[in-house]
Amino acid sequence: MTLSKRTQSAHAGSPPPDEAARTRALDPARSFIVQAPAGSGKTDLLIKRFLVLLATVEHPEEIVAITFTRKAAGEMRERVLAALAEGKARDRWELAANPARLRIQTIDALCAALTRQMPLLSRFGAPPETIEDASDLYLEAARATLELVETDQAAARDVERLLSHLDNDVGRIESLLAGMLEKRDHWVRHLKHIDRAGLEAALANVRKEALERARRLVPAAKRNEFAAIAGYAFANLGLGEFTDDAKSWSALAAILLTQKDAHRAALDKRQGFPAGIGGAPWKDRAAALFGSLDEDFREALADLRRLPPARYSEAQWEMLDAIASLLPHALAQLKVVFQSRGQVDFAEVAQGALAALGEEDMPTDLALALDYKVRHLLVDEFQDTSITQYELIAKLTAGWEAGDGRTVFAVGDPMQSIYRFREAEVGEFLKTWKSGRLGEVVLERARLAANFRSQAGIVAWVNEAFARILPAHEDAGSGAVPYTAS
């Protein structure tokens, strides 16, 4: 089992600097999460692990490899079959003649297969068509929700509340509900637990994290100077004392940044730095200090300007409560639209698959059968899984324990997450990497660093450039991903 010809020629026979990590990741008894930047040969590694696992199972169907696109799944299947044909692993089942026994598929195909196996529990009847763009269906469901005012008094009251806050703009409410339906992967699991205290606690947490990020980006050696300069500007503008809280930092952001969040070219009396003998030294000190802080600091300041309020006003809460009350109706109408059209979106298929597997304390027959059949799960492009897909993987591996012969192998690169439009949530990769757990499965971390795709000069330039372009610190909540050098 060797690297592909392209990869082999790239490092000309010498072992890559991360060879130990690659070898460790092939241990069929251990579970891993692997961070693999572009050009690092992650597909080769995944295929090599697949071949290693084939030697340990009784049936090839016990290994399930999932990726994000049909093209990637097809290429992976072809490369596994080519490796078997070349004798790089023993083919006890004549897979070349029976390629269907290789369970290499997209995660969408896996979800669809689960819903077909348990159509009642997945709440699907005949298999519907899965479509990429369901915006017309979301809008149709939103309109049907608003039409409930004729037959449902509770819905009518909620619509009336929204209209009073949105200047009787029915079209705006339709767009609002349609947008929420499109993004339901993010909120549907929380719909039964919406309460003001919990949401305001989340607001407070967002504000706290944004403030801590901005503080962290000011070097400790410069914090006294920072506070002095901020205090000088605040005093001249009549803003009171700079107190190092979110309100003060937000005001400071307005001083230092333009309306378009760019650095101000110069500071003057409008920003608290008047001209004259007394003000000139302060201007120079401010220019020197703020000029020494990097792009991440500017972005952190810009984020502070957009912070949500610490608490909802009564008017805001009334509007939010009305939306939350309408969303169950909108979900029901969306399911009616899906059924009448014979079409669904990818999120609906994934949620149907979750339903087919049941709950952790009450698994369905399908979940029990899968628990028996699947012994090894390999996930390619793990950074592109959505929240629902992540939950699906966690549910598929519920009850797996270290040493029981079942493993998870998740590989990806958060720097290459490109499917945000499909609700991909790179934060799930970041959280999994940090915690070392996927559901109940403990994962060992492995990081690939060798780049087999480019020459050393190009790799060095990319390392230098992208270390400055990407954020310095990761943030699972916002999906901020720092650069990892090759």
Side-chain angles (χ1 to χ4, degrees):
M1 293 173 287
T2 58
L3 296 168
S4 66
K5 291 180 179 178
R6 181 183 65 182
T7 303
Q8 282 182 322
S9 61
H11 66 84
S14 61
D18 53 10
E19 181 69 13
R22 295 173 187 273
T23 301
R24 183 166 59 92
L26 297 180
D27 188 333
R30 296 148 73 184
S31 295
F32 292 90
I33 179 170
V34 180
Q35 184 170 345
S40 61
K42 70 175 180 64
T43 305
D44 281 292
L45 183 65
L46 191 145
I47 289 171
K48 289 170 72 175
R49 183 173 176 92
F50 194 104
L51 295 173
V52 167
L53 292 173
L54 277 176
T56 71
V57 296
E58 295 183 11
H59 308 283
E61 293 85 356
E62 295 174 14
I63 308 170
V64 175
I66 52 179
T67 187
F68 207 72
T69 67
R70 287 191 293 269
K71 179 181 178 181
E75 290 177 351
M76 191 186 304
R77 180 186 298 270
E78 289 177 3
R79 291 175 65 174
V80 168
L81 290 172
L84 291 172
E86 294 170 10
K88 295 175 182 176
R90 182 185 172 192
D91 187 358
R92 293 176 285 161
W93 305 281
E94 298 182 352
L95 294 173
N98 301 283
R101 296 193 68 181
L102 288 174
R103 299 180 67 181
I104 301 173
Q105 58 195 142
T106 67
I107 194 165
D108 294 323
L110 175 64
C111 290
L114 293 174
T115 60
R116 285 195 300 270
Q117 290 181 63
M118 298 290 277
L120 291 179
L121 285 169
S122 66
R123 305 184 185 97
F124 285 179
E129 175 192 5
T130 305
I131 59 175
E132 190 81 44
D133 182 3
S135 54
D136 289 344
L137 279 62
Y138 306 139
L139 192 57
E140 183 179 340
R143 289 172 179 161
T145 303
L146 296 184
E147 290 172 2
L148 292 174
V149 297
E150 305 293 338
T151 58
D152 189 308
Q153 291 184 353
R157 284 194 299 270
D158 292 324
V159 172
E160 183 179 354
R161 286 197 287 168
L162 282 179
L163 286 172
S164 68
H165 288 286
L166 298 175
D167 299 324
N168 292 316
D169 190 340
V170 175
R172 189 175 172 190
I173 298 178
E174 287 181 353
S175 297
L176 177 64
L177 289 175
M180 291 295 291
L181 290 173
E182 181 181 7
K183 303 292 184 182
R184 68 192 186 282
D185 192 55
H186 288 265
W187 55 260
V188 68
R189 63 189 50 76
H190 305 299
L191 195 55
K192 295 180 181 179
H193 310 291
I194 292 179
D195 68 279
R196 186 168 184 170
L199 290 177
E200 288 184 341
L203 290 178
N205 190 51
V206 169
R207 292 170 64 86
K208 178 183 176 183
E209 289 180 353
L211 181 56
E212 288 179 349
R213 180 189 175 211
R215 287 172 176 162
R216 187 172 61 242
L217 291 170
V218 179
K222 298 181 179 181
R223 287 174 188 167
N224 288 339
E225 176 73 347
F226 184 91
I229 293 171
Y232 174 81
F234 271 44
N236 287 329
L237 293 172
L239 297 177
E241 185 180 355
F242 179 75
T243 57
D244 199 33
D245 59 8
K247 182 178 179 181
S248 289
W249 274 83
S250 181
L252 182 64
I255 291 172
L256 298 178
L257 302 180
T258 67
Q259 289 186 348
K260 294 184 178 180
D261 291 335
H263 283 296
R264 290 194 185 277
L267 297 170
D268 58 34
K269 64 181 180 180
R270 292 169 296 179
Q271 291 85 44
F273 295 90
I277 297 176
W282 285 99
K283 277 189 179 184
D284 293 341
R285 288 169 64 180
L289 174 62
F290 298 126
S292 70
L293 300 177
D294 60 18
E295 178 68 9
D296 284 351
F297 180 72
R298 185 202 62 78
E299 291 180 357
L301 283 181
D303 288 343
L304 286 168
R305 299 177 77 174
R306 294 186 288 269
L307 281 179
R311 293 179 178 83
Y312 296 109
S313 67
E314 291 306 315
Q316 289 171 330
W317 178 252
E318 184 178 3
M319 183 175 173
L320 183 58
D321 187 54
I323 294 171
S325 298
L326 278 177
L327 286 177
H329 297 289
L331 280 174
Q333 293 302 319
L334 183 61
K335 292 184 183 298
V336 172
V337 171
F338 283 155
Q339 187 173 27
S340 65
R341 293 280 198 100
Q343 296 175 319
V344 293
D345 61 3
F346 290 100
E348 191 71 7
V349 177
Q351 289 165 11
L354 276 179
L357 290 173
E359 301 300 327
E360 184 177 347
D361 57 348
M362 193 177 294
T364 63
D365 291 340
L366 173 60
L368 295 172
L370 286 170
D371 184 57
Y372 174 74
K373 292 178 181 176
V374 179
R375 301 197 62 78
H376 301 283
L377 185 64
L378 295 85
V379 186
D380 193 16
E381 307 293 0
F382 184 56
Q383 78 280 353
D384 284 325
T385 53
S386 69
I387 295 174
T388 298
Q389 290 167 345
Y390 178 89
E391 290 185 356
L392 177 73
I393 294 168
K395 192 172 286 189
L396 283 171
T397 57
W400 291 21
E401 299 178 355
D404 68 0
R406 295 177 291 188
T407 68
V408 173
F409 185 80
V411 61
D413 178 15
M415 293 185 290
Q416 297 185 70
S417 183
I418 61 172
Y419 283 94
R420 194 75 180 219
F421 70 95
R422 281 279 309 277
E423 306 310 321
E425 187 54 67
V426 70
E428 296 299 333
F429 184 103
L430 298 176
K431 287 186 288 187
T432 303
W433 177 268
K434 185 175 182 179
S435 68
R437 300 185 70 92
L438 197 164
E440 300 176 17
V441 180
V442 176
L443 305 174
E444 297 183 39
R445 287 181 283 266
R447 194 192 300 271
L448 306 187
N451 186 308
F452 303 120
R453 191 176 295 167
S454 302
Q455 294 179 343
I458 295 175
V459 173
W461 182 89
V462 170
N463 285 340
E464 194 277 332
F466 280 86
R468 291 184 284 109
I469 294 171
L470 270 69
H473 304 280
E474 74 176 38
D475 181 359
S478 65
V481 179
Y483 182 71
T484 301
S486 295

